[in-house]
Amino acid sequence: MKKTVPIFFACNDRYVPYLDVAIISIIENSSKENDYEITVLKTDVSEENQKKLLKHAKDNIKIKFFDVKNIVEPFKNTLPDMFYFSLAAYYRLFIENAFPEYDKAIYLDCDVILLTDIAKLYDIDIGDNLVGAAYEQNTSRAPMFTNYVEEIIGIPYYTYFNSGVMLMNLKEFRKFGVQKRFLDMLTTYNFDCLAPDQEYINVICHGRVKYLPTGWNKHSFPEPPEGDLNLVHYALADKPWFNPNTINGEYFWEYAKKSEFYDYILQGFKNYTEEDRRKGEEMFNGLVKAIENIYHSDRTFKKLWFDKQRG
């Protein structure tokens, strides 16, 4: 009997072209020995774009779309703004109850490229931990982010993981009530933070994380990966479809050339201007300012959550 590998993405129309490239990289590195069920969590992906993504389906590759509107709508006004992510970033937090048929699944951001069979990630034994994930590489490189994790979130920086690539133990999610805890914490505290989707799940899962080698979630930094380079993640603002100097960007273009969206992606790359680059710098400056403001807040995870627990 074939093994089924459930894979989830969260996407809106703006990111469909890059999701298409990610899916192509999964398929090209897949094995005929496995079945792959790719589910796109969405609210606003057009019928035309859905049809384009569905063209990749084959005997052992299923592609489905799940509209999370009815699930998210009751909480839409409660979900806090994020610095530059869309509402889709929250969708991963509702997988446990929306898909009771899965005890284990992989969640991926759309800005990733697979360089090996994703079933190898699915096969990693994470025991009774809630997630398998790699630590957030940005926090160890920049003192500003190291301090943010320790002084605002309230956990050691080396335990803070990136939630853009997760092996999710959904069976343990349900036992522990991750979704309920998230919504309870959100409505009770509504913490001030930069990336609520990632920070809430870090706080909830703290102490129950199986740390994966960074080769399973390699950001565009010059440091070599831990273990084999299996998955490239163009996290934050360093996207190869804008920046010709993005580290490991060649892997994106290798698969982008096989996408129906290639001309669109290439045109966006050619049209990226100096003004766009300046806007990116302004966004980073805004991030620094946001961190400074949060330092003065009384509504941080450390002050309202961890300090209370520590007595």
Side-chain angles (χ1 to χ4, degrees):
M1 185 176 177
K2 283 187 175 183
K3 172 174 58 188
T4 298
V5 182
I7 306 157
F8 287 88
F9 290 95
C11 193
N12 55 29
D13 256 337
R14 186 171 67 89
Y15 249 78
V16 163
Y18 316 113
L19 169 60
D20 191 65
V21 179
I23 289 175
I24 290 171
S25 75
I26 289 174
I27 294 172
E28 295 245 332
N29 290 286
S30 63
S31 168
K32 293 180 179 178
E33 302 302 312
N34 303 317
D35 287 326
Y36 303 82
E37 295 186 353
I38 299 172
T39 302
V40 180
L41 306 173
K42 58 90 178 180
T43 53
D44 59 349
V45 176
S46 69
E47 289 292 330
E48 179 184 359
N49 278 339
Q50 289 183 48
K51 288 177 182 177
K52 289 179 180 179
L53 293 174
L54 285 169
K55 289 179 182 178
H56 296 303
K58 50 179 73 172
D59 287 347
N60 71 325
I61 307 286
K62 293 181 181 177
I63 298 176
K64 302 179 288 184
F65 297 89
F66 183 84
D67 195 332
V68 298
K69 184 177 181 180
N70 291 336
I71 296 176
V72 175
E73 196 66 32
F75 313 106
K76 188 174 181 179
N77 295 328
T78 310
L79 296 173
D81 292 334
M82 289 179 285
F83 188 68
Y84 68 92
F85 301 99
S86 74
L87 187 65
Y90 288 110
Y91 298 169
R92 73 197 81 178
L93 292 161
F94 299 94
I95 292 172
E96 66 175 273
N97 291 330
F99 297 88
E101 65 269 32
Y102 299 134
D103 284 342
K104 186 179 181 183
I106 295 168
Y107 173 83
L108 301 175
D109 280 349
C110 297
D111 51 356
V112 302
I113 293 294
L114 267 296
L115 302 177
T116 192
D117 187 355
I118 198 170
K120 294 178 184 177
L121 174 58
Y122 185 77
D123 286 341
I124 294 175
D125 183 4
I126 63 172
D128 63 356
N129 286 300
L130 293 165
V131 297
Y135 68 87
E136 175 59 68
Q137 292 144 64
N138 200 43
T139 57
S140 62
R141 302 183 84 257
M144 175 178 66
F145 294 114
T146 302
N147 294 337
Y148 175 83
V149 170
E150 300 211 333
E151 299 301 323
I152 301 298
I153 301 175
I155 61 178
Y157 77 91
Y158 52 84
T159 69
Y160 183 69
F161 63 89
N162 180 274
S163 64
V165 178
M166 292 191 295
L167 181 56
M168 305 173 73
N169 188 343
L170 297 177
K171 187 175 181 180
E172 290 298 320
F173 263 55
R174 295 180 194 110
K175 286 182 183 177
F176 195 57
V178 170
Q179 178 180 314
K180 184 178 186 304
R181 287 172 186 263
F182 164 65
L183 294 172
D184 286 348
M185 290 172 70
L186 184 67
T187 53
T188 303
Y189 298 103
N190 202 352
F191 300 99
D192 286 334
C193 50
L194 287 178
D197 63 310
Q198 180 161 291
E199 293 172 24
Y200 273 89
I201 201 164
N202 260 274
V203 169
I204 293 168
C205 296
H206 186 63
R208 296 191 63 185
V209 181
K210 168 75 173 180
Y211 290 94
L212 306 178
T214 57
W216 277 112
N217 187 355
K218 183 63 180 75
H219 293 190
S220 296
F221 296 132
E223 292 82 5
E226 298 167 348
D228 295 332
L229 182 59
N230 298 313
L231 184 153
V232 178
H233 185 185
Y234 306 108
L236 299 176
D238 197 11
K239 311 298 187 190
W241 50 90
F242 294 143
N243 182 5
N245 299 315
T246 299
I247 294 172
N248 294 322
E250 67 274 15
Y251 297 116
F252 172 80
W253 289 108
E254 175 186 342
Y255 293 104
K257 290 175 182 176
K258 302 174 184 180
S259 169
E260 190 172 341
F261 294 93
Y262 178 64
D263 289 341
Y264 170 87
I265 295 170
L266 189 61
Q267 194 61 44
F269 177 78
K270 291 177 178 177
N271 290 342
Y272 194 71
T273 65
E274 184 65 20
E275 178 63 24
D276 292 323
R277 187 189 65 78
R278 280 197 295 270
K279 287 179 181 177
E281 291 179 354
E282 289 172 5
M283 184 186 71
F284 179 79
N285 293 334
L287 178 65
V288 173
K289 184 65 176 176
I291 289 176
E292 291 174 354
N293 290 337
I294 294 172
Y295 269 112
H296 300 293
S297 171
D298 291 326
R299 305 194 61 78
T300 67
F301 286 106
K302 184 176 186 299
K303 291 176 182 176
L304 287 180
W305 187 257
F306 284 113
D307 282 356
K308 277 189 176 181
Q309 291 185 348
R310 292 161 184 159

